[in-house]
Amino acid sequence: QVQLVESGGGLVQAGGSLRLSCAASGRTFSMYGMGWFRQAPGKEREFVARINWRGSSSVAGDSVKGRFTISRDNAKNTVYLQMNSLKPEDTAVYYCAADLLPRQDRWATNPHDYVVWGQGTQVTVSS
């Protein structure tokens, strides 16, 4: 099964940008849709963005739409989250996750739609 490791988090001022990366091991990476979620202390995991297994379509949550963009490079076994115009409320631990089923085009926004999770990377946005 695919294993995921996030990187690219850090401290940034409001209005700034970061790009998160999620490196995957496993040669079936390209068969699975990928998602980004975030979680702040005391809160439930929140959907951020989703890209389908081929990278031909994607969707972003309402709170980040127009600011965050998900992409993937299957040749590099990597999925990205480009975050622009960051706000203090974006502060959270960001996780990437792989769909529990292969070859999915569904709009999967629930954490239960995913089975493999990375350990997360901290993003802190100062005001």
Side-chain angles (χ1 to χ4, degrees), residues 83-97:
M83 305 186 295
N84 298 325
S85 301
L86 283 162
K87 304 175 181 179
E89 52 263 43
D90 295 320
T91 296
V93 177
Y94 283 71
Y95 300 90
C96 65

Side-chain angles (χ1 to χ4, degrees), residues 11-108:
L11 176 64
V12 64
Q13 292 184 349
S17 298
L18 285 174
R19 188 178 76 157
L20 306 184
S21 298
C22 176
S25 62
R27 302 181 74 173
T28 59
F29 168 77
S30 62
M31 297 176 60
Y32 291 86
M34 300 291 296
W36 283 97
F37 291 78
R38 65 188 183 185
Q39 189 166 23
K43 295 186 177 181
E44 294 186 350
R45 213 169 290 128
E46 178 188 13
F47 171 74
V48 175
R50 154 83 174 193
I51 190 165
N52 76 340
W53 68 289
R54 284 198 174 276
S56 57
S57 65
S58 62
V59 63
D62 290 341
S63 63
V64 304
K65 190 175 183 179
R67 299 187 297 119
F68 292 8
T69 302
I70 188 171
S71 62
R72 68 189 299 163
D73 186 341
N74 286 345
K76 298 183 181 297
N77 283 358
T78 303
V79 63
Y80 304 95
L81 184 69
Q82 179 66 47
M83 305 186 295
N84 298 325
S85 301
L86 283 162
K87 304 175 181 179
E89 52 263 43
D90 295 320
T91 296
V93 177
Y94 283 71
Y95 300 90
C96 65
D99 202 317
L100 60 84
L101 296 173
R103 304 183 189 276
Q104 296 297 305
D105 297 314
R106 59 182 175 164
W107 183 45

